[in-house]
Amino acid sequence: MKHHFTRLTALFFPGRCATIGILLLSFFALNTVLRVAFLIFEQDPAMLTSTTHFFLALLVGLCFDLAAFSCVAWLFALLLAYWPETPRATMSLKAIMHLLVFSLCGLALFTVVGECLFWNEFSSRYNFIAVDYLVYTHEVIGNIVESYNMPLIISLLTLSTLIFWYGLSSPVQRALNLPRPQGRAKFSAVFIWLALPFVLLSTLDQSLKGFTEHGKMRELASNGYYELFRAFHLNELSYADYYALRSKETTSQHLASLFNSDKLESNALPNARWIHPTGEAKLLNVVMVSIESFSAEFMESFGASYGPNLTPNMDRYAKEGLLFTRLYATGTRTVRGLEALTLSIPPTPGNSIVKRPNNQGLFSVGHVFREKGYETLFLYGGYAYFDNMKDFYEGLGYRVVDRLALSPEEITQETIWGVADENLFQLTLKTLDEQYNKNQKFYAHVMTTSNHRPYHYPEGRIDIPSATGGRLAGVKYTDWAIGDFIETARTKPWFDDTIFVFVADHTHRGRGKTDLPLENYHIPLVFYAPKWIEPQVVDTLASQIDTSPTLLGLLNFDYRTQFFGHDILKEGKDNPRALLANYQTVGLYTDGTTIELRPKQQITVRHDKDAIINPLKDAMSIERTISYYQTASQAFQDGRLKVSSRE
């Protein structure tokens, strides 16, 4: 055994290439410590007691660590193998190597800090969100500066880098004193380290993490560098290339039967249909407020897991309005929520359609309202260029109003993400007054920002000082701002003829024990219009994509649609389901069963603890799930989601 190990060492780390081995072991150690730290931070009993799974996570993690390290190691191999061995050249090499090692120490520890902050926010290694953060550096860096003690973090990071480098300097110096590899040994080492990145990056995939279904344990087995590279590479996933497929005829039949679709033109989507209600349309104004990171469990109406009196205003409107108790978000990011509320489309694999190219002119709820003579508005408290929101909504025909419309005197408080919610609502009231004075009906979609780290807001609004109470303080302030908005709106002449829709963009939670844990998607939905809507509680299982079709149903609109969502009040009981996604895993939940679709055509069926396993029902659910996602993905790619494709 010792003989084989010696030969392996000589093959990978001959002579002064032993420096690479020292750096590799240090990299392994640093990432192992990081995984242990994440495990302790989570305090998840299922993770802490699963010793076998944790050791498997460490072993799998070493594979991903090696893949990440190999992307840098080839440079060291070339320098160490081919740099001349004269005294002067050797001195230069040592200086260069120590400088490189110091730089790598700084980069590695900087990444550790970044991963810790990212894990604290999302309970995940780097993913598509991290890729977005590299694009929107202004907002992200500003958020970090506002949320954390950066002088302290930078000081500790600098000190840690010096200590780490000092600890490595002696063994690295000894390795550099070894002779330069010669002949065959030199060629073999260089070839191995040049080839290794290509081999590992092309062969490693997510199947290595199949040793557990626990989502966070699988994340422990990942490597931040590797996941960041993978997120760049797989920003948008082709459904046809990676996911389970059925024939177009099969998926069309499934969707047509679900939606009782009309036989329209040959190019129409199978869910295209006319909605013909009885009675006259109610041409009421609409204000849809999508609330940042607002989980159902914050509200007393859902049990108030975080204590009473956190959301008194939202609980009041829930009691006085139409409350949906079993609505689930489609994803874990704002752009997913906006996509679901605006386009009523399943969360197709990869990034949200809001951020993809060629997303202009799509059929949306705004299109339906404009056909009825409304002006459609999107109001946002930050700069709407973030996450491509401005281009997306303008491409759908909305007028976008963001913080640029506010003068400095109109801003009471702001963070890098946007102005305080009360300032956004004041801007909304001003904009809606202008519409009313022009005798113009309006549909206004308002996106809040205050319930987002660093949770800064004007003092004196709630009983928690700004920036001291964390997320719960942010929730309480946002609820206060909503209450202030409604009470001011009551004084407006347009209030009585306006429907207010309150819905979250997503919950505050990240990953759970599985890829699509239902509790991490549970959000509130309230329709509030005292003159028009009687108090009612609806317990039908539904999806965020059903919000706009239900709104249009309440307005009694006659319109042609190709929404994948339906009116919960009229069709929901016949098709209760929730559509969920987490970047690569997409799925459909019905009572007791979740169907998950993953890359490499993988299909997983999960049953709740008390669910009755019915193979026939599961087979039907699988076909339905594939039909939703395959049709939506293909329709976006071939342009059938565009309004022009229907005309």
Side-chain angles (χ1 to χ4, degrees):
M1 185 73 176
K2 183 177 179 180
H3 175 68
H4 289 301
F5 180 76
T6 303
R7 290 187 61 185
L8 192 64
T9 302
L11 183 65
F12 279 81
F13 315 112
R16 62 191 188 191
C17 286
T19 307
I20 301 173
I22 295 168
L23 297 178
L24 177 59
L25 290 175
S26 302
F27 190 67
F28 281 165
L30 185 63
N31 282 281
T32 300
V33 170
L34 185 61
R35 292 184 178 98
V36 173
F38 287 157
L39 177 74
I40 296 172
F41 175 80
E42 283 301 319
Q43 292 294 303
D44 186 333
M47 295 174 70
L48 292 170
T49 57
S50 182
T51 306
T52 301
H53 281 167
F54 179 62
F55 279 110
L56 286 173
L58 293 182
L59 289 175
V60 171
L62 291 179
C63 297
F64 289 110
D65 293 346
L66 180 59
F69 180 81
S70 67
C71 294
V72 176
W74 63 269
L75 174 61
F76 285 85
L78 286 173
L79 286 172
L80 293 166
Y82 288 99
W83 197 275
E85 209 172 8
T86 64
R88 178 172 292 183
T90 300
M91 287 181 61
S92 300
L93 176 64
K94 289 180 179 179
I96 292 172
M97 291 302 296
H98 280 295
L99 180 61
L100 286 174
V101 170
F102 180 81
S103 300
L104 285 179
C105 288
L107 175 63
L109 291 175
F110 176 82
T111 303
V112 165
V113 172
E115 284 216 75
C116 289
L117 298 179
F118 196 82
W119 187 281
N120 178 54
E121 188 77 16
F122 301 104
S123 294
S124 171
R125 307 305 283 263
Y126 288 148
N127 52 32
F128 289 157
I129 302 175
V131 175
D132 289 346
Y133 280 7
L134 292 177
V135 176
Y136 299 105
T137 53
H138 175 70
E139 285 79 7
V140 174
I141 293 174
N143 180 49
I144 291 172
V145 169
E146 292 173 346
S147 303
Y148 301 98
N149 187 337
M150 289 311 297
L152 177 62
I153 290 176
I154 292 172
S155 299
L156 291 175
L157 180 60
T158 303
L159 179 61
S160 300
T161 300
L162 289 170
I163 294 173
F164 195 17
W165 173 74
Y166 182 77
L168 287 176
S169 60
S170 293
V172 167
Q173 184 70 22
R174 288 194 295 271
L176 291 173
N177 288 331
L178 295 173
R180 184 178 68 171
Q182 301 294 324
R184 189 174 180 179
K186 175 172 68 174
F187 175 80
S188 298
V190 171
F191 177 79
I192 287 171
W193 288 109
L194 283 173
L196 204 57
F198 298 99
V199 173
L200 292 175
L201 293 177
S202 61
T203 56
L204 290 181
D205 59 33
Q206 300 305 293
S207 62
L208 265 181
K209 296 188 283 187
F211 63 88
T212 178
E213 293 297 332
H214 196 296
K216 290 181 182 177
M217 191 68 82
R218 288 165 58 140
E219 287 298 303
L220 285 185
S222 299
N223 173 280
Y225 304 90
Y226 174 85
E227 293 298 331
L228 190 63
F229 169 81
R230 185 165 158 271
F232 267 117
H233 181 61
L234 298 176
N235 207 321
E236 180 180 346
L237 289 174
S238 166
Y239 186 93
D241 292 339
Y242 291 96
Y243 291 83
L245 288 171
R246 298 293 185 265
S247 69
K248 186 176 180 180
E249 292 73 19
T250 299
T251 58
S252 295
Q253 288 173 4
H254 275 287
L255 285 186
S257 63
L258 282 174
F259 290 99
N260 297 317
S261 299
D262 304 318
K263 289 185 177 180
L264 301 174
E265 64 272 12
S266 59
N267 193 43
L269 289 170
N271 52 303
R273 61 213 184 271
W274 276 97
I275 303 297
H276 294 301
T278 57
E280 294 184 2
K282 303 171 185 175
L283 297 177
L284 305 176
N285 299 308
V286 176
V287 179
M288 179 178 288
V289 181
S290 47
I291 312 170
E292 171 69 37
S293 305
F294 201 81
S295 302
E297 60 191 302
F298 291 141
M299 293 177 60
E300 200 163 333
S301 305
F302 295 88
S305 300
Y306 293 91
N309 300 318
L310 186 63
T311 59
N313 292 301
M314 281 295 297
D315 284 312
R316 175 189 169 190
Y317 306 139
K319 290 177 183 178
E320 296 177 356
L322 180 57
L323 170 66
F324 294 84
T325 63
R326 299 186 66 200
L327 187 91
Y328 293 88
T330 59
T332 58
R333 289 210 65 201
T334 296
V335 285
R336 276 296 187 204
L338 296 178
E339 172 190 83
L341 296 170
T342 305
L343 302 179
S344 184
I345 188 173
T348 51
N351 221 332
S352 165
I353 287 175
V354 174
K355 295 177 63 62
R356 294 187 198 172
N358 198 32
N359 61 4
Q360 296 82 29
L362 304 180
F363 179 72
S364 69
V365 65
H367 176 77
V368 177
F369 275 104
R370 284 193 300 278
E371 284 189 327
K372 303 296 182 182
Y374 286 64
E375 179 164 6
T376 54
L377 306 158
F378 178 72
L379 298 106
Y380 180 58
Y383 295 114
Y385 73 82
F386 182 73
D387 268 347
N388 201 49
M389 288 184 283
K390 187 175 191 296
D391 285 348
F392 173 71
Y393 277 102
E394 287 184 344
L396 298 182
Y398 287 66
R399 179 160 69 91
V400 175
V401 183
D402 66 5
R403 70 191 289 176
L404 291 173
L406 288 166
S407 65
E409 295 75 24
E410 295 175 301
I411 299 175
T412 310
Q413 176 83 47
E414 62 180 322
T415 69
I416 198 67
W417 296 114
V419 298
D421 284 349
E422 62 188 81
N423 299 144
L424 168 63
F425 287 132
Q426 288 160 3
L427 174 62
T428 301
L429 291 166
K430 177 182 175 182
T431 305
L432 301 186
D433 284 343
E434 293 170 354
Q435 297 299 303
Y436 177 80
N437 292 334
K438 293 189 296 184
N439 199 29
Q440 173 65 59
K441 292 292 182 183
F442 53 80
Y443 168 81
H445 187 155
V446 184
M447 181 69 230
T448 73
T449 62
S450 289
N451 186 28
H452 193 297
R453 193 179 302 277
Y455 312 114
H456 289 179
Y457 43 83
E459 296 289 358
R461 304 303 191 254
I462 60 174
D463 56 359
I464 305 173
S466 177
T468 64
R471 183 176 296 281
L472 296 185
V475 170
K476 193 167 188 176
Y477 168 72
T478 289
D479 178 79
W480 177 90
I482 289 172
D484 182 69
F485 170 57
I486 291 297
E487 293 312 304
T488 305
R490 287 187 200 278
T491 67
K492 304 295 183 179
W494 44 262
F495 176 81
D496 283 345
D497 292 327
T498 300
I499 292 180
F500 296 87
V501 184
F502 298 104
V503 61
D505 59 347
H506 55 82
T507 71
H508 74 292
R509 295 182 178 274
R511 283 186 179 270
K513 295 180 180 180
T514 62
D515 279 357
L516 303 176
L518 194 66
E519 64 275 10
N520 287 13
Y521 294 82
H522 192 197
I523 59 173
L525 171 61
V526 176
F527 289 87
Y528 181 69
K531 181 180 175 180
W532 296 94
I533 297 177
E534 294 292 329
Q536 183 183 355
V537 176
V538 179
D539 296 323
T540 304
L541 174 66
S543 172
Q544 195 176 29
I545 70 172
D546 301 324
T547 304
S548 288
T550 305
L551 167 64
L552 296 173
L554 286 170
L555 294 171
N556 224 33
F557 278 6
D558 185 298
Y559 67 105
R560 181 195 155 166
T561 182
Q562 55 189 39
F563 288 148
F564 288 80
H566 54 238
D567 184 339
I568 304 170
L569 298 173
K570 295 184 176 68
E571 306 159 297
K573 291 183 179 180
D574 297 328
N575 186 21
R577 55 54 192 132
L579 295 134
L580 317 168
N582 194 352
Y583 298 108
Q584 291 193 50
T585 303
V586 297
L588 182 142
Y589 176 84
T590 54
D591 279 327
T593 304
T594 304
I595 308 298
E596 296 179 353
L597 307 180
R598 292 194 186 119
K600 301 181 72 171
Q601 292 76 44
Q602 294 181 18
I603 302 174
T604 302
V605 180
R606 299 186 188 280
H607 294 281
D608 293 351
K609 292 180 181 179
D610 301 324
I612 299 174
I613 300 176
N614 185 330
L616 179 60
K617 181 181 177 182
D618 289 348
M620 294 174 61
S621 295
I622 289 172
E623 296 305 310
R624 181 164 51 156
T625 306
I626 293 173
S627 297
Y628 268 117
Y629 288 104
Q630 180 177 327
T631 303
S633 298
Q634 291 177 344
F636 177 71
Q637 292 296 331
D638 62 29
R640 284 184 295 156
L641 293 182
K642 292 182 179 289
V643 174
S644 58
S645 69
R646 314 170 347 145
E647 298 172 346

